[in-house]
């Protein structure tokens, strides 16, 4: 059978990427989905064991910075769509090692763009039916003012009336967000210069199953389970907009298929929480599910020195996406966090494997000679 489309999804073994790969493999059996992942510490093929034998799925271990390999893959699989999620994404790591973030996030994106340009322009139809979709972050916009510190349900948002829109100016404050901003600019430049059919989306904080436990929610769930300290930056007053990862995958699906070329779409949940408040929800939920008395883990909260350049508030306005393409979050935060906490508590073997690093040794051995 000739498949209708051949789509590379970069970073498909990671947190968000694995959910996007699963959705496309399951929902579009007529597509061939090529999962391209370098399998760094954040990439784990155990995230995709349920679909790894599907006939429309292929995994390729490769580095997005390897231009010759990317060219070869595009030609071999006759790729007509790229959904680009592969990125270094942890702010603390970017502060310690900005070079890796610039290399992967900027040069990796540029490598994909140039390889796609050269391959697609070599075809008789050139860019017709092609699409390069780049997934970015709300952090490129900088920070918003916290004009309602109490978080009362007044005005447009609980913590202020300002939101990031698609017209917000870029103002990155960390090496991570600066590297993502640079990659966003390259994607738009390839449309404006070469006519490449590109789309960019900027999304708020994601949470849900399969997230690497360096991030707040899985880290704290695991620490609560093992009664370890819960380190809170500063006073825990930083505000983030949270989106359930499967809702993000749904948005990517809609935008890839129906989004307008050369447009930017913001993806968010209108779901702002202070870090300290979300930690309290995690404690309450995990303690209940673990059979602990209410408040049992509250004494684990430990305040630590604030992160350098720590933005105070992010908040995404995804009105454009809702009005144009009909997307909106399917889960309220309380529902999503309940499902998330329950998943991590019920999948301790996955968590133990990830925190031990054993999964990396397994896959390094499997693919070292390929």
């Amino acid at each position: 059978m000739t498949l209708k489309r051949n789509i590379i999804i970069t970073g498909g073994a990671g947190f968000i990427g694995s959910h996007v790969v699963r959705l496309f493999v399951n929902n579009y059996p007529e597509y061939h989905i090529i999962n391209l992942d370098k399998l760094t510490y954040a990439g784990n093929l155990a995230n995709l064991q349920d679909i790894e034998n599907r006939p429309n799925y292929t995994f390729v271990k490769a580095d997005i910075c390897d231009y010759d390999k990317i060219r070869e893959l595009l030609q071999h699989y006759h790729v007509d769509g790229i959904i680009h999620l592969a990125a270094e994404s942890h702010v603390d790591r970017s502060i310690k090692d900005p070079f890796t973030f610039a290399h992967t996030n900027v040069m990796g994106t540029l490598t994909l763009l140039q390889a796609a340009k050269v391959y697609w322009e070599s075809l008789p139809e050139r860019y017709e039916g092609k699409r390069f979709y780049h997934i970015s972050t709300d952090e490129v916009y900088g920070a918003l003012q916290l004009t309602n510190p109490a978080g009362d349900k007044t005005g447009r948002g609980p913590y202020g009336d300002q939101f990031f829109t698609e017209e917000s100016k870029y103002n990155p404050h960390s090496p991570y967000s600066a590297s993502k901003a640079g990659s966003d600019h390259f994607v738009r430049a390839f449309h404006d210069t070469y006519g490449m059919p590109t789309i960019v989306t900027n999304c708020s904080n994601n949470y849900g199953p399969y997230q690497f436990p360096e991030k707040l929610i899985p880290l704290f769930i695991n620490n609560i389970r093992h009664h370890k300290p819960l380190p809170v930056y500063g006073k825990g007053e930083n505000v983030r907009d949270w989106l359930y990862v499967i809702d993000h995958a749904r948005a990517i699906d809609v935008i890839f298929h129906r989004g307008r070329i050369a447009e930017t779409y913001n993806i968010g949940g209108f779901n702002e929480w202070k870090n300290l408040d979300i930690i309290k929800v995690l404690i309450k939920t995990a303690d209940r599910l673990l059979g602990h008395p209410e408040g049992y883990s509250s004494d684990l909260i430990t305040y630590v020195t604030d992160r350098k350049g720590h933005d105070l508030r992010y908040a995404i306005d995804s009105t454009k996406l809702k009005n144009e393409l009909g997307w909106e979050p399917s889960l309220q935060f309380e529902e999503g966090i309940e499902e998330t906490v329950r998943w991590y508590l019920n999948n301790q073997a996955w968590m133990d494997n990830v925190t031990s690093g054993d999964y990396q040794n397994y896959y390094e051995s499997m693919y070292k000679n390929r």
Side-chain angles (χ1 to χ4, degrees):
M1 181 181 75
T2 301
L3 296 178
K4 185 177 179 181
R5 299 201 69 161
N6 300 295
I7 300 169
I8 282 181
I9 299 178
T10 71
F15 168 45
I16 300 172
S18 63
H19 288 279
V20 176
V21 167
R22 179 178 294 103
L23 184 151
F24 272 72
V25 168
N26 286 335
N27 289 6
Y28 301 100
E30 72 277 21
Y31 291 1
H32 181 198
I33 303 303
I34 302 103
N35 174 7
L36 190 159
D37 200 295
K38 187 180 177 181
L39 294 183
T40 63
Y41 76 94
N44 187 355
L45 289 177
N47 299 353
L48 291 164
Q49 286 181 336
D50 56 317
I51 60 138
E52 63 184 4
N53 294 318
R54 295 290 181 85
N56 64 328
Y57 171 73
T58 299
F59 172 73
V60 176
K61 185 178 186 296
D63 186 344
I64 59 171
C65 295
D66 186 341
Y67 178 77
D68 291 337
K69 182 66 173 180
I70 300 301
R71 281 283 311 277
E72 174 192 328
L73 292 172
L74 291 170
Q75 293 173 358
H76 178 74
Y77 290 110
H78 306 289
V79 170
D80 52 34
I82 297 173
I83 301 176
H84 176 35
L85 291 118
E88 297 285 349
S89 65
H90 193 237
V91 175
D92 288 347
R93 288 178 184 264
S94 81
I95 293 170
K96 294 177 181 178
D97 181 15
F99 285 103
T100 294
F101 280 69
H103 180 68
T104 299
N105 296 352
V106 179
M107 295 306 297
T109 301
L110 179 56
T111 299
L112 288 167
L113 286 164
Q114 181 67 7
K117 170 189 175 294
V118 171
Y119 172 58
W120 287 341
E121 288 187 350
S122 72
L123 302 174
E125 72 276 16
R126 291 175 61 84
Y127 289 128
E128 184 180 351
K130 310 301 188 294
R131 184 155 293 199
F132 189 107
Y133 177 3
H134 174 66
I135 286 83
S136 188
T137 172
D138 58 358
E139 297 190 38
V140 298
Y141 297 125
L144 296 169
Q145 292 297 314
L146 189 63
T147 57
N148 182 22
D152 300 325
K153 301 297 181 180
T154 58
R156 190 167 172 222
Y159 294 101
D161 290 337
Q162 291 184 324
F163 284 76
F164 296 135
T165 71
E166 289 81 1
E167 287 73 42
S168 295
K169 292 182 179 179
Y170 274 38
N171 187 26
H173 293 153
S174 72
Y176 162 60
S177 56
S179 68
K180 290 299 290 184
S183 66
D184 295 3
H185 292 321
F186 267 112
V187 173
R188 296 189 179 99
F190 265 64
H191 170 269
D192 294 348
T193 304
Y194 307 112
M196 181 179 284
T198 64
I199 294 178
V200 175
T201 56
N202 301 85
C203 190
S204 58
N205 280 31
N206 281 215
Y207 70 97
Y210 298 111
Q211 188 170 29
F212 192 82
E214 66 184 354
K215 300 297 179 104
L216 187 151
I217 288 179
L219 172 66
F220 279 35
I221 294 170
N222 198 44
N223 283 11
I224 292 168
R225 183 184 188 110
H226 295 288
H227 210 68
K228 293 181 178 180
L230 307 176
V232 180
Y233 282 127
K235 297 179 181 179
E237 293 182 344
N238 302 75
V239 174
R240 299 293 182 263
D241 176 27
W242 293 90
L243 181 67
Y244 192 54
V245 65
I246 294 175
D247 279 331
H248 188 188
R250 288 177 46 247
I252 290 171
D253 178 11
V254 170
I255 293 165
F256 178 79
H257 287 98
R258 298 198 285 116
R260 289 185 289 136
I261 295 300
E263 288 293 325
T264 298
Y265 295 92
N266 280 351
I267 308 172
F270 285 112
N271 180 38
E272 295 179 66
W273 286 76
K274 282 189 177 181
N275 284 349
L276 185 58
D277 291 338
I278 200 171
I279 291 164
K280 290 177 179 178
V281 171
L282 290 172
I283 289 171
K284 183 176 181 180
T285 306
D287 278 346
R288 172 171 51 82
L289 293 175
L290 289 167
H292 296 159
E294 187 170 347
Y296 174 79
S297 301
S298 296
D299 62 345
L300 297 176
I301 293 176
T302 305
Y303 295 94
V304 298
T305 303
D306 205 357
R307 169 193 286 161
K308 295 177 181 178
H310 200 179
D311 292 334
L312 188 57
R313 173 176 173 250
Y314 302 146
I316 281 280
D317 183 344
S318 47
T319 301
K320 175 180 176 179
L321 178 56
K322 179 179 179 180
N323 290 346
E324 283 195 17
L325 302 179
W327 176 92
E328 56 186 336
S330 65
L331 285 182
Q332 296 296 318
F333 182 73
E334 290 76 7
E335 298 175 281
I337 207 68
E338 175 85 15
E339 290 192 17
T340 298
V341 174
R342 193 180 296 277
W343 187 89
Y344 283 104
L345 294 180
N346 290 340
N347 288 273
Q348 190 61 38
W350 179 91
M351 179 66 81
D352 290 343
N353 192 36
V354 169
T355 53
S356 71
D358 289 345
Y359 70 102
Q360 285 187 286
N361 297 329
Y362 174 75
Y363 291 120
E364 183 176 347
S365 174
M366 179 184 294
Y367 287 98
K368 67 179 180 180
N369 294 319
R370 295 192 182 187

